[in-house]
Amino acid sequence: MKLTAIIVEDEETSREILKNYLNKYCPNVTVLGEADNIEDALVLIRNKTLDLVFLDVEMPYGNAFDLLEKVGDVNFETIFVTAYNHYAIDALNAHASYYLMKPISIDELIKAVDFVTELKLKEDRLENQVVIPKTNKITGKITIPQLDGFEVLDTSDILYCKADDNYTEIYLINDKRKVVSKTLKYFEDVLKDTSFVRVHKSYLVNIDKVVKYVKGKGGSVMLINGKQISVSASRKSNLLSYFK
């Protein structure tokens, strides 16, 4: 399986060593670009379709975790390459696929690339199981609390719900928005037996309103109004199970 990648490393010698190792020992990896700082790396990430980023931790004017925070929804795998072992826990919390220590071991590099390749193959197999979306319609209702009582909504009129701290924004098919003083977790629980699925820490979507899925580490879904919503990598499998 072919993988597209970039190398983010501030030392030119280290970039050249890694690039040569990949060319010789990991021929399935195509390096699309290099960056020696987080700003240039961010430009590459936003303008390239990537499967993998080789990422040094310490760089001028920021570090790897600053870069990942700027990226936001990460739709690629990450292999950390560093001379420091004390970043391992932070890398794990950043959902790193692998942690390579410098000087790079060729065997470890091959293992890291093989691991990411297998992850991507599993994603492809999962995505290939998707045939057509379910066609059942949910015709239930939900009550929205208000100061003078409550409003009744058809759940089939709801496109998605978005978290806003202790509030939830409910977006409807008529382009209207309702703001409710309830958490998204509250609506997730209320709608758990309907066509609504939590796809991200901030989003609950109506599966019946999904018209497209875009592949990625987590990927994203497009709704009937053109709204595109990111899917967390940890919630991807559950989402795709609705379309098997």
Side-chain angles (χ1 to χ4, degrees):
M1 183 181 187
K2 298 293 185 181
L3 299 176
T4 56
I6 62 170
I7 297 172
V8 183
E9 161 69 65
D10 65 320
E11 296 179 1
E12 183 178 359
T13 301
S14 296
R15 293 199 305 273
E16 288 300 316
I17 290 172
L18 178 54
K19 192 162 56 174
N20 289 336
Y21 280 177
L22 289 170
N23 184 56
K24 187 172 182 179
Y25 301 106
C26 306
N28 65 317
V29 177
T30 300
V31 178
L32 299 181
E34 304 170 34
D36 61 6
N37 60 79
I38 64 174
E39 294 303 325
D40 289 347
L42 194 59
V43 172
L44 282 174
I45 288 169
R46 287 174 173 169
N47 288 281
K48 303 288 186 182
T49 301
L50 300 174
D51 297 310
L52 176 60
V53 172
F54 291 93
L55 187 56
D56 188 17
V57 176
E58 295 192 348
M59 288 173 285
Y61 313 112
N63 61 31
F65 307 106
D66 297 324
L67 173 61
L68 294 175
E69 184 176 350
K70 286 175 181 277
V71 171
D73 291 315
V74 174
N75 283 320
F76 50 80
E77 303 298 331
T78 306
I79 294 177
F80 278 79
V81 185
T82 179
Y84 307 96
N85 60 14
H86 57 271
Y87 289 113
I89 297 298
D90 290 331
L92 181 64
N93 290 336
H95 304 290
S97 298
Y98 217 91
Y99 194 89
L100 289 176
M101 293 292 297
K102 296 178 183 177
I104 297 172
S105 159
I106 293 171
D107 288 342
E108 281 299 307
L109 176 62
I110 293 171
K111 283 171 61 177
V113 171
D114 285 347
F115 182 77
V116 171
T117 301
E118 183 58 31
L119 284 178
K120 300 301 291 185
L121 286 170
K122 286 180 180 178
E123 286 181 6
D124 277 0
R125 286 195 290 268
L126 180 61
E127 286 159 351
N128 288 336
Q129 291 175 2
V130 177
V131 184
I132 56 173
K134 292 180 178 178
T135 57
N136 61 300
K137 293 289 184 181
I138 304 300
T139 57
K141 298 183 184 294
I142 185 172
T143 57
I144 305 299
Q146 295 182 335
L147 290 176
D148 59 349
F150 58 84
E151 181 178 2
V152 180
L153 298 178
D154 285 326
T155 56
S156 58
D157 289 340
I158 301 173
L159 291 173
Y160 66 97
C161 302
K162 179 182 177 183
D164 183 11
D165 292 329
N166 290 324
Y167 290 81
T168 298
E169 299 173 356
I170 299 176
Y171 290 82
L172 306 174
I173 57 176
N174 60 6
D175 293 330
K176 289 186 178 180
R177 182 186 66 139
K178 307 286 183 180
V179 179
V180 186
S181 59
K182 295 285 187 181
T183 64
L184 190 62
K185 181 64 169 61
Y186 168 85
F187 285 100
E188 182 183 13
D189 291 339
V190 169
L191 296 166
K192 64 181 179 181
D193 295 323
T194 68
S195 60
F196 286 80
V197 179
R198 187 80 170 262
V199 298
H200 188 278
K201 66 178 182 180
S202 298
Y203 289 98
L204 183 69
V205 303
N206 187 344
I207 289 294
D208 286 341
K209 308 305 180 186
V210 172
V211 295
K212 184 178 181 181
Y213 172 77
V214 180
K215 295 170 65 174
K217 184 173 183 180
S220 62
V221 290
M222 182 178 290
L223 304 181
I224 58 174
N225 66 342
K227 171 71 175 179
Q228 194 156 324
I229 294 175
S230 295
V231 178
S232 298
S234 61
R235 300 179 187 272
K236 175 179 177 178
S237 178
N238 183 49
L239 167 72
L240 293 183
S241 69
Y242 283 80
F243 298 103
K244 289 182 179 179

